[in-house]
Amino acid sequence: MKRVLTTCPYCGTGCMFYLVVDDDNKLIGVEASTEHVVAQGKLCVKGWNAHHFVNHPDRLTQPMVRRNGKMEPASWDEALDLVVGKLKEIQAEHGNDSVAFFSSAKTTNEENYLMMKLARAVFKTNNVDHCARLCHSSTVLGLAATFGSGAMTNSISCMEQADCILVTGSNTTEQHPLIGSRIVRNVLENGAKLIVADNRKIRLARIADIHVRWKNGTDVAFLNGLMNVIIAEGLEDKEFVASRTENYEELKKVVADYRPERAAEICGITPEEIVQVARMFARAKRAMIVYSMGITQHTHGVDNVKSCANLAMLTGNVGRPGTGVNPLRGQNNVQGACDMGALNGVYSGYQKVIDPVAREKFEKAWSVENLPDKPGLTVTTAIDAAADGKLKALYIMGENPMLSDPDQNHVRKALEKLDFLVVQDIFPTPTSEYADVILPAASYAEKNGTFTSTERRVQHVRKAIEPIGRSRADWEILCDVAARAGYAGMKYNSASEIMDEVASVTPIYGGVSFERIDQVGLQWPCTDKEHPGTPVLHSGKFARGLGAFSPAAYRPSAELPDEEYPFVLSTGRCYFHFHTGTMTRRSQLLHREERFPYVEINPKDARELEIHDRRWVHVTTRRGTVRAMARVTDVADRGVLFMPFHFEEGPANLLTNNALDPVAKIPEYKICAARVRSC
């Protein structure tokens, strides 16, 4: 047997572990790394089972093409020639922007960089995006506007250095367990204060000093209420505000309208709770904000993120250990996919496509001319364009929009209307059912590369076994597509060579190489070969110079309860499964623990509707009906339903609203109007 050190393919925490391989090229187990700075010899239940799905019999092992309406096996030559030929044919008839490319938060940095390069350098379109649009695009834009950098400001180790932690919109112990355990340890062992602002009674609420159960979608009103109290009582960090920020007077003007009484009325809580939270947070020497998609997935998601940044700056809690604004990334490489420019408006390192200097730089590096100069379609707007008949072809790598995107009937119609769909993945998915070509990719255990964790740590992904069947690493497939399209600038001997190119054109990765990251990785910005990496951002000054207060007024969510649909439906994840369940539901132990789609409902609501625990119910919104098992629990507040979106047979996202944040274009997964009844 051999042991291969690699990085977990699940959440963004970035734990490293050893894959254990037998003599038959099979993964037989996982061992935690006791030396790793994040894992520290521990893993969550998904990490301990991260080897199970790799050898599952459902793996895609050979290319498939659609002939006479049926998917049939094909050679790599036939499949890739068809892909390139059809994309070129469609572009010749309808223009370059008639095709789009979806990259992936599950694939490596190198592969996301190449997908971005393939779209722009080879097919000359900025229609490239990935699922960060569905989870943390609000973070990227909101923190970039206020701080100058759209990333987690601190390190995971800072969770144990804070004197006060505000957790909002993050079920941390379930979705980022090893980060959650640090928060728990800091509270129980060091006496740190914990504030949980969440409509659900999550596990962290059990040990919280204050648990605020506000109404879903009232985040801005709550945060403005806190800042109103802090300013009124003189608890702001006057020196920090004066020396390191701008636009403070505008912030004071906006939050003046959110006295505790008004903010509490909007949020459905008491004024005393707002005052208590404000004082506890502002009086702490080191206070930290931790959030996730409960903040970002709203039509006012960017406003929510900016309000978190405003609170941190107002209290001087940026740029020091134990402080900061810390968005927790939901997938293993969503941070890296953003860093690599798998977004519609930027190259790697967030260099804008509208900037002629940036375009010239990449044209020279890639030996091409006339890179497109306008931002392309996003994941969400590409689906709309396909439904409208404007987008003709789509190339999807490692994503499953038929389960992950909102309003699945709309997604289905869009995919059906495409002239050509390519799906590149490791398993069949509901999305691949609509494909014209399916390309079998290698899993994380079968290739080399890097992931970037939520704390901006770039780490190794190491090949432990040979690819299953005729599957190939995503980067090798993309290079082959480029070559068949006539482009000679995507020829590499290894993933290491791709990272060297990334470093040469991406200042924040300038000092990153396979040799340097070795055992524990490097945190960007890491600008040159001597730079040690950056554990804490914005020390001394913000990335944009002065931090910019960006006040926002409260706006209601797009769809609120009424007589016909009296409940608020919110969606998210559960402890045992990950994203659309493609990997975890093929892990025997994880599937055994959570086998059925379910909906949480408060006991009082269940009693009134004569709904019983563990009985099947129908959940209905304006977009459709889903069958799920009732879970009667006080985790859910009155008038609120919660569903995880992992289950193909009970797809929560068939129900969700595709209303978008006007800036980030992120859907409002966390709020829509619903009703529920027994089957």
Side-chain angles (χ1 to χ4, degrees):
M1 294 187 295
K2 65 177 180 179
R3 297 158 71 246
V4 179
L5 184 64
T6 194
T7 304
C8 183
Y10 287 123
C11 81
T13 302
C15 301
M16 294 193 81
F17 53 61
Y18 292 93
L19 287 171
V20 183
V21 187
D22 69 9
D23 290 338
D24 294 323
N25 192 43
K26 291 211 176 161
L27 302 179
I28 60 171
V30 165
E31 293 179 8
S33 168
T34 57
E35 297 85 9
H36 188 244
V37 293
V38 175
Q40 297 179 328
K42 306 175 185 68
L43 294 172
C44 75
V45 68
K46 290 188 284 289
W48 283 117
N49 289 274
H51 62 294
H52 272 296
F53 70 86
V54 174
N55 289 100
H56 194 279
D58 286 352
R59 278 290 300 273
L60 294 170
T61 59
Q62 60 183 1
M64 306 284 284
V65 300
R66 190 173 297 279
R67 302 188 186 99
N68 301 317
K70 294 178 61 177
M71 296 303 295
E72 297 179 351
S75 68
W76 273 106
D77 285 339
E78 180 186 3
L80 294 182
D81 283 345
L82 178 60
V83 168
V84 173
K86 287 294 291 185
L87 293 180
K88 289 290 189 182
E89 176 186 319
I90 289 169
Q91 283 190 318
E93 183 176 352
H94 301 284
N96 288 352
D97 290 336
S98 62
V99 304
F101 299 80
F102 287 180
S103 205
S104 177
K106 301 178 190 69
T107 59
T108 65
N109 285 321
E110 295 73 19
E111 289 159 345
N112 278 285
Y113 175 81
L114 290 189
M115 180 61 105
M116 177 272 289
K117 184 176 179 180
L118 180 73
R120 292 181 165 123
V122 181
F123 290 96
K124 296 296 177 71
T125 180
N126 284 324
N127 290 345
V128 58
D129 204 19
H130 77 289
C131 69
R133 187 68 52 191
L134 308 177
C135 60
H136 272 290
S137 55
S138 309
T139 289
V140 173
L141 293 168
L143 293 187
T146 50
F147 295 166
S149 173
M152 182 171 168
T153 62
N154 286 56
S155 298
I156 292 170
S157 61
C158 288
M159 303 288 172
E160 296 182 82
Q161 298 173 276
D163 300 307
C164 178
I165 303 174
L166 168 60
V167 178
T168 178
S170 168
N171 190 357
T172 321
T173 54
E174 290 203 21
Q175 301 316 312
H176 300 86
L178 267 71
I179 295 177
S181 68
R182 288 177 184 250
I183 295 173
V184 171
R185 191 156 61 234
N186 193 12
V187 171
L188 298 183
E189 296 181 5
N190 303 331
K193 300 295 183 183
L194 176 62
I195 303 161
V196 173
D198 199 299
N199 187 262
R200 298 172 72 217
K201 191 185 290 184
I202 61 174
R203 292 182 181 183
L204 276 181
R206 301 175 188 174
I207 62 168
D209 294 271
I210 306 171
H211 177 206
V212 181
R213 299 188 80 167
W214 61 19
K215 291 180 183 176
N216 277 8
T218 60
D219 316 69
V220 168
F222 175 74
L223 294 165
N224 281 350
L226 299 183
M227 290 184 278
N228 178 289
V229 173
I230 290 168
I231 293 171
E233 297 189 0
L235 298 175
E236 74 274 20
D237 188 327
K238 297 178 178 60
E239 181 181 349
F240 187 94
V241 170
S243 63
R244 294 200 53 190
T245 69
E246 59 186 2
N247 206 32
Y248 178 51
E249 291 304 316
E250 184 63 23
L251 177 78
K252 287 173 65 177
K253 179 181 176 182
V254 172
V255 303
D257 291 335
Y258 292 86
R259 290 168 42 206
E261 294 76 17
R262 181 180 178 231
E265 182 180 3
I266 295 171
C267 298
I269 56 178
T270 66
E272 290 74 22
E273 287 176 288
I274 290 177
V275 173
Q276 189 180 6
V277 171
R279 290 171 178 170
M280 183 176 289
F281 189 87
R283 288 171 176 170
K285 290 183 179 179
R286 292 170 297 184
M288 169 184 288
I289 299 171
V290 174
Y291 74 80
S292 195
M293 284 168 275
I295 284 288
T296 60
Q297 289 178 330
H298 293 271
T299 50
H300 42 77
V302 172
D303 289 347
N304 293 348
V305 172
K306 288 180 176 179
S307 296
C308 289
N310 292 338
L311 176 61
M313 289 189 290
L314 182 65
T315 54
N317 282 300
V318 186
R320 295 180 288 127
T323 68
V325 178
N326 298 288
L328 305 182
R329 308 299 194 183
Q331 296 191 54
N332 54 306
N333 201 33
V334 71
Q335 181 64 60
C338 293
D339 298 343
M340 293 300 104
L343 296 166
N344 71 314
V346 294
Y347 303 109
S348 58
Y350 308 96
Q351 301 167 86
K352 295 181 178 180
V353 300
I354 62 173
D355 180 0
V357 175
R359 287 200 307 278
E360 183 179 356
K361 170 183 175 178
F362 280 89
E363 286 172 350
K364 182 177 180 181
W366 293 344
S367 300
V368 296
E369 296 178 348
N370 302 318
L371 288 176
D373 60 356
K374 295 178 181 177
L377 295 170
T378 66
V379 162
T380 44
T381 58
I383 293 296
D384 291 340
D388 292 339
K390 297 175 183 176
L391 184 71
K392 302 297 183 179
L394 182 57
Y395 189 141
I396 300 176
M397 176 178 72
E399 292 296 334
N400 187 12
M402 272 302 299
L403 275 188
S404 61
D405 284 27
D407 190 358
Q408 287 174 7
N409 287 325
H410 177 62
V411 178
R412 181 179 296 107
K413 291 174 183 176
L415 296 183
E416 289 175 341
K417 201 162 185 179
L418 289 168
D419 290 347
F420 190 63
L421 174 62
V422 182
V423 172
Q424 183 170 306
D425 217 319
I426 62 173
F427 287 114
T429 67
T431 302
S432 68
E433 294 176 13
Y434 299 88
D436 297 287
V437 177
I438 298 175
L439 304 175
S443 75
Y444 82 106
E446 300 154 33
K447 60 188 177 184
N448 294 312
T450 57
F451 295 153
T452 303
S453 74
T454 191
E455 64 173 357
R456 298 167 283 105
R457 187 179 298 277
V458 187
Q459 302 183 120
H460 272 299
V461 178
R462 291 185 173 93
K463 182 178 180 179
I465 62 174
E466 292 301 316
I468 303 296
R470 295 167 62 196
S471 64
R472 300 171 64 188
D474 291 280
W475 71 266
E476 294 176 340
I477 300 171
L478 297 177
C479 289
D480 203 342
V481 170
R484 289 167 192 268
Y487 178 60
M490 281 175 56
K491 295 180 180 178
Y492 308 93
N493 295 312
S494 66
S496 176
E497 289 185 6
I498 305 170
M499 178 51 71
D500 290 342
E501 181 177 318
V502 170
S504 71
V505 294
T506 313
I508 59 175
Y509 277 67
V512 175
S513 67
F514 273 36
E515 292 73 26
R516 288 199 70 202
I517 60 175
D518 195 29
Q519 299 293 312
V520 296
L522 284 167
Q523 290 172 272
W524 69 257
C526 177
T527 53
D528 58 57
K529 298 301 182 183
E530 306 302 320
H531 197 289
T534 309
V536 178
L537 296 180
H538 314 303
S539 297
K541 71 174 184 177
F542 286 95
R544 69 181 301 278
L546 294 175
F549 283 111
S550 300
Y554 164 71
R555 292 184 290 114
S557 299
E559 185 179 272
L560 298 175
D562 54 25
E563 289 186 6
E564 187 178 3
Y565 298 96
F567 285 89
V568 167
L569 172 65
S570 185
T571 65
R573 303 178 182 183
C574 68
Y575 177 57
F576 291 100
H577 287 304
F578 173 73
H579 211 239
T580 60
T582 305
M583 299 185 294
T584 52
R585 298 196 72 197
R586 289 180 170 90
S587 297
Q588 183 179 2
L589 185 147
L590 300 176
H591 180 61
R592 182 193 72 192
E593 293 299 314
E594 205 69 83
R595 297 172 60 195
F596 304 111
Y598 65 86
V599 56
E600 293 177 354
I601 183 170
N602 185 272
K604 293 181 179 178
D605 291 328
R607 195 176 305 120
E608 290 177 2
L609 295 170
E610 298 183 349
I611 289 173
H612 302 284
D613 191 42
R614 301 286 171 173
R615 299 291 178 86
W616 291 97
V617 297
H618 283 134
V619 183
T620 302
T621 70
R622 289 180 173 86
R623 288 151 294 280
T625 297
V626 163
R627 186 172 179 263
M629 186 174 285
R631 186 165 293 180
V632 179
T633 171
D634 65 355
V635 170
D637 204 358
R638 290 220 62 182
V640 179
L641 307 173
F642 172 82
M643 290 184 70
F645 70 96
H646 315 292
F647 302 94
E648 179 181 351
E649 64 272 35
N653 281 327
L654 185 144
L655 306 174
T656 47
N657 190 2
N658 62 356
L660 304 180
D661 181 292
V663 180
K665 307 300 182 186
I666 191 170
E668 190 150 60
Y669 288 106
K670 298 308 180 191
I671 293 182
C672 67
R675 63 173 180 256
V676 59
R677 63 175 177 83
S678 296
C679 291

